[in-house]
Amino acid sequence: MKNICLFSFFLFSAIAYSQKDTPKIIVGIVVDQMCYDYLNRFNVNFSEQGFKKMIREGAHLTNMHYNYIPTYTGPGHASIYTGTTPDNHGIIANDWIQRETRTQVNCVGDASVSGISSSALYGKSSPKRLSKKTITDVLKETYPGSKVISVSIKDRGAILPGGHQSDGSYWFDYGNGTFITSSYYTNKLPCWLRKFNRKNNAMNRAQIWSPFLEDGAYSSEDDSPYEIILSGKSKPVFPYDIKNLCEVSGSLSPFTISPFANTLLTDLALEAIKKEKLGKDVSPDMLCISYSSPDIAGHAFGPDSKEIEDMYIRLDLELSRLIHYLEQSFGKSNFLMFLTADHGVVPVPQKLIDEGERGGYILIDQVINYLRSKCVSKFGDDYILGQDNLNIYLDYEKINNSTNNKEEILNFLSSNITYNNGIKQSATGDQLQKLVTNDTLLQMLAKGFDPKRSGDLLLILEHGYLPKTTLSAKPFKGTSHGSGYAYDTHVPCLWYGSNIKSTEIEQRLEIIDISSTLSHILRLKEGAETGKVIQGLIGQE
Ligand SMILES: [Zn+2]
């Protein structure tokens, strides 16, 4: 019965979606740090032409989840665009400890390339650590005339979606306030981008950030003890004079925490469509946009802040601007758009503590120092190389030069982990590779584990907990993400445009299904590795 259903689905979709229906342009939007519930919480203040239009006239997938740990930006973008999990594509975190060099490396860091039009510290980035093809790579292999352009504030937000064969992946340079690329792609920025940069330096775009709507329209309080106070401010409240804050701090970070960075990115995306002539010939082109500022602001102010509420009210207008442009230029039947997020976020744990909810902090340095001291007293030496992303790395070099045995050390450290203080579970790399279990969190940890890049002993925290490195003054402010709990895994997933039904799909889906579905829709020559084709999305009603 199942096979017949599957067959009839493919037959139906093949009829419904013939070659002539292939969209001229596909626009993939990733919002950095967007919890699923924002679609509901902020809905009342959204326009009719942005998120609400995608929900009303497109497909709304209400139960899309990440299926691995850790839920960070690098792994998120890589998994959306490769259709597989970090154990396969190798982007296990934003940064990790590289055993060979004994240093921390970045998921898109690449010392062998140089920045193009960049300032000194930015631009040494490429997709070399991404070990699988992206959907954008396969698009270019299927249709040799296809173009791929990818833009973001963060380098990893542009590089990982654009894949290995991108025609242009551009990200923000915190040193000079313009968009740059690296010598991996080209030795010169295109003329149109140099012109765009001359007109649109971040300092010229930084304004005063005041609430977009009148005060009564917001559900969140402006002043709370859980928000980080930006340098140059005495309270975490509106208005934010972004230009002045940049000058006071001597940095462009205040610009990237503001909605003005989203607007600048939309402008860049629209300029790229025009100047690269995307969607103008028979080969489908793809534009990837990753809005980073919701994440940068989310870390500082938390999901319950007025700043985040305003950020999303304004992001909705960016979306509406994009949809309007695409409809005017191509018509609804000729473009395909999807929107999702790279992860969600946990409410500020200090707020959870104060409100009597589950949550808190573990002092990760204390945990590691305790294990180091146990190791010294048992084996006469400290064999821990370091910790990153709750992965504990053993010092193989030191162990190999000693008479001690790696397995023995690992088992000893593992048996000395203290639970019920915020740490819920732990697993060694070997356990994860041989894993046969029904435990969902361990299965997710295994899907995020790469033996060459991950640690030897991995920790899972309790619900609502974050690791902290130092004990700063209470209350602790700001928040983060990375866990396998729904607040981090449950993200929006909206599809709109060419042949997409107006429908709501409640089935639980995994983030890796997005690329498989795109591959099916675009008739690409290779499907994504592990995802499934999402059913009920395309065709007439
Ligand atoms: Zn983040």
Side-chain angles (χ1 to χ4, degrees), residues 33 73 154 295 299 343 481:
Q33 195 186 113
T73 292
K154 292 183 186 174
D295 178 75
H299 279 283
H343 52 74
H481 47 85

Side-chain angles (χ1 to χ4, degrees), residues 35-47:
C35 301
Y36 175 73
D37 81 299
Y38 291 1
L39 285 179
N40 301 322
R41 269 176 61 203
F42 306 143
N43 185 279
V44 62
N45 286 325
F46 286 154
S47 72

Side-chain angles (χ1 to χ4, degrees), residues 44-272:
V44 62
N45 286 325
F46 286 154
S47 72
E48 292 302 319
Q49 308 304 321
F51 287 110
K52 276 167 141 171
K53 188 181 179 92
M54 288 186 86
I55 291 171
R56 196 174 57 238
E57 297 171 32
H60 178 196
L61 286 54
T62 62
N63 208 6
M64 174 59 81
H65 285 263
Y66 278 84
N67 61 338
Y68 60 81
I69 299 172
T71 39
Y72 294 130
T73 292
H77 285 78
S79 302
I80 293 165
Y81 282 91
T82 59
T84 190
T85 40
D87 56 335
N88 271 321
H89 60 59
I91 304 298
I92 56 152
N94 293 334
D95 304 280
W96 60 84
I97 295 175
Q98 187 177 54
R99 292 185 187 283
E100 304 81 64
T101 54
R102 303 167 70 85
T103 55
Q104 193 188 51
V105 293
N106 181 268
C107 62
V108 292
D110 184 349
S112 71
V113 301
S114 48
I116 300 298
S117 292
S118 70
S119 61
L121 295 176
Y122 299 90
K124 287 183 156 305
S125 310
S126 86
K128 81 163 182 197
R129 293 199 166 94
L130 177 65
S131 55
K132 294 287 174 187
K133 285 180 191 171
T134 53
I135 192 81
T136 39
D137 288 332
V138 183
L139 177 75
K140 284 185 67 78
E141 286 171 11
T142 308
Y143 304 97
S146 288
K147 258 191 181 178
V148 169
I149 301 286
S150 186
V151 296
S152 177
I153 295 294
K154 292 183 186 174
D155 53 1
R156 55 187 177 273
I159 289 168
L160 298 168
H164 303 87
Q165 299 181 42
S166 162
D167 295 281
S169 293
Y170 307 114
W171 58 93
F172 185 72
D173 185 315
Y174 279 73
N176 67 23
T178 66
F179 288 95
I180 59 165
T181 189
S182 81
S183 58
Y184 172 86
Y185 304 95
T186 181
N187 54 19
K188 201 173 178 194
L189 284 187
C191 188
W192 69 262
L193 183 51
R194 279 181 281 144
K195 216 167 170 181
F196 180 89
N197 279 337
R198 278 198 296 276
K199 277 197 200 154
N200 295 286
N201 190 287
M203 282 306 272
N204 302 331
R205 301 290 298 254
Q207 302 165 34
I208 293 176
W209 180 15
S210 299
F212 185 73
L213 302 173
E214 70 279 8
D215 275 356
Y218 293 81
S219 58
S220 327
E221 293 294 324
D222 194 4
D223 192 4
S224 101
Y226 310 113
E227 300 172 78
I228 283 169
I229 301 170
L230 300 187
S231 164
K233 293 278 291 181
S234 56
K235 279 178 157 196
V237 295
F238 287 107
Y240 289 88
D241 184 340
I242 298 295
K243 193 172 203 153
N244 177 258
L245 292 176
C246 288
E247 282 162 3
V248 169
S249 64
S251 130
L252 287 166
S253 297
F255 176 75
T256 64
I257 212 170
S258 82
F260 307 126
N262 291 334
T263 305
L264 179 61
L265 194 71
T266 311
D267 289 350
L268 175 68
L270 295 179
E271 192 71 359

